Amino acid sequence: MQAVREFILDRNPKLERLDDDLDLIDSRAINSLAFVEFIFLLEELTGESIDPEDLDLDDFRTLNAIGARFLKQKAAS
C-alpha cells in the first residue's frame, strides 16, 4: 500500500497526507491522465493483469477500496 500512497502523493504535491477514506476520484487525487499509469502500478504490485472490462470506479475511490479489491487478495495468496 505504501507504493500506492507514494504514487498518489508524488502526483499531488498539495496533499500533505492521504487518509484511507479520502475519495480519490472526487478530490482529483487520481485523475484521468494518471489513471492508466495507476492501473499499471497495481498490475506491477499484484503481478496480475487488470481487465478493463472488470473495472468498477468504486474499486478506486479510496485507499481502503483499492486495498480490499487489489492488494488484500495478493496478501492472502
Side-chain angles (χ1 to χ4, degrees):
M1 186 57 82
Q2 187 60 34
V4 171
R5 283 182 186 281
E6 289 173 7
F7 176 92
I8 295 168
L9 289 171
D10 286 350
R11 284 154 185 76
N12 296 278
K14 292 182 181 179
L15 280 178
E16 292 182 16
R17 64 189 193 104
L18 197 54
D19 293 330
D20 290 347
D21 60 352
L22 173 70
D23 190 317
L24 301 170
I25 307 297
D26 286 346
S27 69
R28 299 187 189 271
I30 297 178
N31 61 36
S32 59
L33 297 175
F35 192 72
V36 172
E37 192 176 352
F38 186 66
I39 295 297
F40 289 141
L41 172 68
L42 290 175
E43 289 179 332
E44 183 178 305
L45 291 173
T46 63
E48 299 177 13
S49 65
I50 297 173
D51 185 349
E53 296 289 322
D54 294 335
L55 293 180
D56 182 345
L57 193 56
D58 288 337
D59 292 336
F60 301 93
R61 210 161 272 287
T62 66
L63 288 176
N64 285 333
I66 292 166
R69 170 65 168 85
F70 300 102
L71 302 177
K72 293 213 169 124
Q73 292 176 3
K74 182 68 175 173
S77 299

